[in-house]
Amino acid sequence: MPSRGPVRTDRPPRCVARTVPPPRVIVTRVNEARVPQEPVSCARCGRTADPLPVTWTCSVENGRREYFCEECARANIRSIEGRLDSSWW
């Protein structure tokens, strides 16, 4: 194969790979955790706690926050994960 002569380095090559811009990421803020200042009580059994234990479950039903103790949450975990209102369980 015959040589085409010296390679020019003063200009870019003809075949240039296009750079693909990174995908746009939309960041939305989820409600920040709100810790109640007053003692809380379980909406199911009435047990109270101050401060709020990390093992308790919080649920928003009809626009109100309701808290469930660990025992009530464990007993009704399938209904909670199925997003059923507590009146159903």
Side-chain angles (χ1 to χ4, degrees), residues 26-38:
I26 299 173
V27 178
T28 57
R29 257 187 120 164
V30 180
N31 290 341
E32 295 176 0
R34 298 181 189 137
V35 179
Q37 301 301 324
E38 66 278 347

Side-chain angles (χ1 to χ4, degrees), residues 7-85:
V7 177
R8 293 185 62 173
T9 59
D10 60 337
R11 58 183 164 172
R14 289 185 179 181
C15 181
V16 177
R18 293 185 186 186
T19 57
V20 178
R24 293 182 62 191
V25 177
I26 299 173
V27 178
T28 57
R29 257 187 120 164
V30 180
N31 290 341
E32 295 176 0
R34 298 181 189 137
V35 179
Q37 301 301 324
E38 66 278 347
V40 295
S41 61
C42 176
R44 190 104 176 124
C45 70
R47 181 179 296 166
T48 59
D50 184 33
L52 179 65
V54 295
T55 56
W56 282 36
T57 303
C58 176
S59 174
V60 178
E61 297 180 12
N62 299 323
R64 320 183 358 215
R65 287 184 180 266
E66 293 185 351
Y67 295 92
F68 299 97
C69 67
E70 184 176 1
E71 289 78 22
C72 290
R74 283 179 184 260
N76 300 291
I77 191 69
R78 288 186 182 204
S79 299
I80 293 170
E81 288 182 351
R83 300 207 179 263
L84 295 175
D85 284 342

